[in-house]
Amino acid sequence: QYRMQVGNWNRFNAKTGGTLVEKCCHFFDLMRHILQSEPKRFMASGGQDVNHLCEVASGEPAPDILDNAYVIVDFESGARAVLELCMFAE
């Protein structure tokens, strides 16, 4: 479960960089560091399938933050990396 945050910033894409930025940005940094190469192409798919589906914040629309995603990153070196995000697994 997500903890309540000031202004519910972690529940709305308009108030945050989104789940991949907030939770995964350093994994992308790590990919670059390990591979010693820069990304040249990203392919991604994500959704909100479990978390916050029944929540209503006072005076705001329903939360719209992603709770799962897959990202494929192609690097200039020819390497390929995959990131999987799941915010509801136990």
Side-chain angles (χ1 to χ4, degrees):
Q1 287 287 345
Y2 290 94
R3 295 187 331 209
M4 293 302 291
Q5 301 290 326
V6 176
N8 289 322
W9 69 267
N10 65 331
R11 289 168 162 69
F12 301 97
N13 284 311
K15 296 181 178 182
T16 180
T19 309
L20 290 171
V21 170
E22 299 295 338
K23 299 290 185 184
C24 304
C25 62
H26 297 299
F27 290 111
F28 296 114
D29 292 337
L30 188 58
M31 290 175 188
R32 292 175 55 232
H33 177 73
I34 290 170
L35 296 171
Q36 293 295 296
S37 184
E38 293 299 316
K40 69 175 185 177
R41 179 175 41 227
F42 290 86
M43 296 165 276
S45 180
Q48 181 186 21
D49 295 311
V50 175
N51 294 323
H52 310 303
L53 295 179
C54 298
E55 292 182 23
V56 177
S58 59
E60 298 195 55
D64 63 353
I65 202 79
L66 298 178
D67 61 18
N68 66 90
Y70 285 94
V71 181
I72 300 170
V73 185
D74 289 338
F75 287 85
E76 291 174 351
S77 66
R80 177 173 279 173
V82 177
L83 176 91
E84 176 184 3
L85 168 72
C86 181
M87 299 296 290
F88 50 81
E90 291 187 23

